[in-house]
Amino acid sequence: MYYLATTLKKYNIQATDDQLGHVKDIYFDDKYWTVRYLVVDTSKWLPSKKVLLSPISLDKVDSENKAVNVLTSKETVKSAPHKKENEPISKQYEIDLAGYYEIPIYWSGTGPWSGFPTPAALGLADKQKMIQSKNATSQEDNNYLRSVNEVRGELTGYTVEGIGGKIGYVFDVIIDDSNWKINYLVVETSKFLAANYILVATDWINDVQWQDKNIYVEVDSVKAKNVTDYDIHAHITKEYEDKLYSALGKNRNSI
């Protein structure tokens, strides 16, 4: 199922025995645009700490009860290695975190989940557990963790540039909770196009200038004018996706 990042941030994080808090931010890697961690706001019971939960540790997203269920207890999360709120996340810290939770590292093989289609499949795979060694760190890709809060911004998100001109700004992102990939950017077009919001697939991104906050996509800015306005309060249907791809002249199998 698809979820807006802002929707997930309204959900409670439910451990096996108690609530942990809610989603404060979402970290994704800039190679596969795949969610690596939910950042949990635990200020009421674990202040000044950055609590990260991998999708491998998650059970499911319960939209009916507006909760993200976690396959671990509150005490286990409390005793995990944590960073101070403003400290960066290193690969060694990720290794330590995976070792503590006894989950496999996600970068040990090819693809976003080490050759497996979903984090659940990777977590269930019968393979060697995390090894804290130089070999583990040497396998890392040249990818970095990025913040969804940063990309979508507090006022205006990153600029999205198409072929022929600007399309708009990143208003939100859409996440598939089966593989935890960010499938779409929700682009606020503002004055640039007739539609208020359009979706741009992350598979269409050909470059990102992180320092300048610019995302360049293989989307014709003229064709983007023909895209039907995306309703940010509605679920994405196959019919809408088909219309989106048709308007932009994209192959439906490209995502």
Side-chain angles (χ1 to χ4, degrees), residues 172-189:
D172 210 337
V173 302
I174 293 177
I175 300 166
D176 184 340
D177 73 335
S178 65
N179 57 13
W180 287 89
K181 179 181 178 180
I182 297 176
N183 275 357
Y184 294 106
L185 307 177
V186 181
V187 181
E188 184 175 10
T189 61

Side-chain angles (χ1 to χ4, degrees), residues 68-115:
V68 180
N69 296 331
V70 182
L71 296 168
T72 191
S73 68
K74 184 175 182 179
E75 187 61 34
T76 300
V77 173
K78 184 178 181 179
S79 301
H82 298 304
K83 287 284 191 180
K84 292 182 179 179
E85 185 64 34
N86 297 320
E87 286 183 344
I89 305 302
S90 66
K91 264 296 186 286
Q92 185 57 55
Y93 174 71
E94 290 189 85
I95 290 170
D96 294 342
L97 200 63
Y100 174 81
Y101 283 112
E102 296 187 330
I103 59 176
I105 54 177
Y106 60 82
W107 65 86
S108 59
T110 59
W113 295 109
S114 295

Side-chain angles (χ1 to χ4, degrees), residues 13-24:
I13 305 296
Q14 180 66 49
T16 55
D17 55 353
D18 200 358
Q19 287 188 1
L20 300 179
H22 65 269
V23 180
K24 185 176 184 178

Side-chain angles (χ1 to χ4, degrees), residues 4 24 34 46 96 114 123 130 138 146 172 189 194 200 223-224:
L4 288 168
K24 185 176 184 178
T34 296
L46 197 63
D96 294 342
S114 295
M130 223 356 271
S138 67
R146 306 287 180 177
D172 210 337
T189 61
V200 173
K223 290 182 179 179

Side-chain angles (χ1 to χ4, degrees), residues 2-255:
Y2 288 154
Y3 289 92
L4 288 168
T6 49
T7 297
L8 287 178
K9 288 179 67 176
K10 298 175 184 176
Y11 284 17
N12 290 317
I13 305 296
Q14 180 66 49
T16 55
D17 55 353
D18 200 358
Q19 287 188 1
L20 300 179
H22 65 269
V23 180
K24 185 176 184 178
D25 198 358
I26 298 171
Y27 287 170
F28 66 96
D29 75 77
D30 59 9
K31 179 178 181 179
Y32 295 108
W33 284 78
T34 296
V35 172
R36 298 308 180 191
Y37 301 102
L38 301 183
V39 184
V40 188
D41 183 356
T42 57
S43 56
K44 293 183 178 180
W45 59 277
L46 197 63
S48 303
K49 297 295 182 182
K50 184 179 292 184
V51 176
L52 305 183
L53 291 174
S54 165
I56 302 174
S57 300
L58 305 183
D59 182 12
K60 65 177 181 178
V61 178
D62 184 353
S63 58
E64 183 176 350
N65 294 306
K66 297 184 178 180
V68 180
N69 296 331
V70 182
L71 296 168
T72 191
S73 68
K74 184 175 182 179
E75 187 61 34
T76 300
V77 173
K78 184 178 181 179
S79 301
H82 298 304
K83 287 284 191 180
K84 292 182 179 179
E85 185 64 34
N86 297 320
E87 286 183 344
I89 305 302
S90 66
K91 264 296 186 286
Q92 185 57 55
Y93 174 71
E94 290 189 85
I95 290 170
D96 294 342
L97 200 63
Y100 174 81
Y101 283 112
E102 296 187 330
I103 59 176
I105 54 177
Y106 60 82
W107 65 86
S108 59
T110 59
W113 295 109
S114 295
F116 294 90
T118 66
L122 173 59
L124 291 172
D126 182 18
K127 59 187 296 184
Q128 185 178 5
K129 293 293 184 180
M130 223 356 271
I131 299 176
Q132 298 180 36
S133 68
K134 293 182 180 179
N135 289 334
T137 57
S138 67
Q139 293 176 19
E140 67 181 270
D141 290 324
N142 292 322
N143 56 317
Y144 300 92
L145 295 179
R146 306 287 180 177
S147 161
V148 166
N149 285 353
E150 175 195 347
V151 171
R152 60 177 299 272
E154 293 298 324
L155 298 175
T156 57
Y158 279 35
T159 300
V160 179
E161 294 276 354
I163 301 171
K166 185 178 295 184
I167 295 176
Y169 301 94
V170 178
F171 174 78
D172 210 337
V173 302
I174 293 177
I175 300 166
D176 184 340
D177 73 335
S178 65
N179 57 13
W180 287 89
K181 179 181 178 180
I182 297 176
N183 275 357
Y184 294 106
L185 307 177
V186 181
V187 181
E188 184 175 10
T189 61
S190 186
K191 300 177 182 179
F192 302 107
L193 304 176
N196 291 318
Y197 302 97
I198 72 169
L199 300 185
V200 173
T202 52
D203 281 2
W204 302 337
I205 296 173
N206 57 25
D207 189 27
V208 182
Q209 298 296 323
W210 298 102
Q211 186 173 358
D212 297 330
K213 298 186 175 182
N214 290 324
I215 300 175
Y216 298 89
V217 296
E218 290 286 342
V219 173
D220 189 317
S221 58
V222 175
K223 290 182 179 179
K225 295 178 180 180
N226 299 321
V227 174
T228 303
D229 189 19
Y230 169 64
D231 183 356
I232 59 174
H233 302 293
H235 291 295
I236 299 175
T237 63
K238 182 179 182 301
E239 180 183 7
Y240 179 84
E241 287 183 296
D242 288 341
K243 288 181 179 179
L244 173 70
Y245 278 72
S246 177
L248 297 177
K250 293 291 186 179
N251 185 340
R252 189 66 182 85
N253 296 324
S254 65
I255 188 172

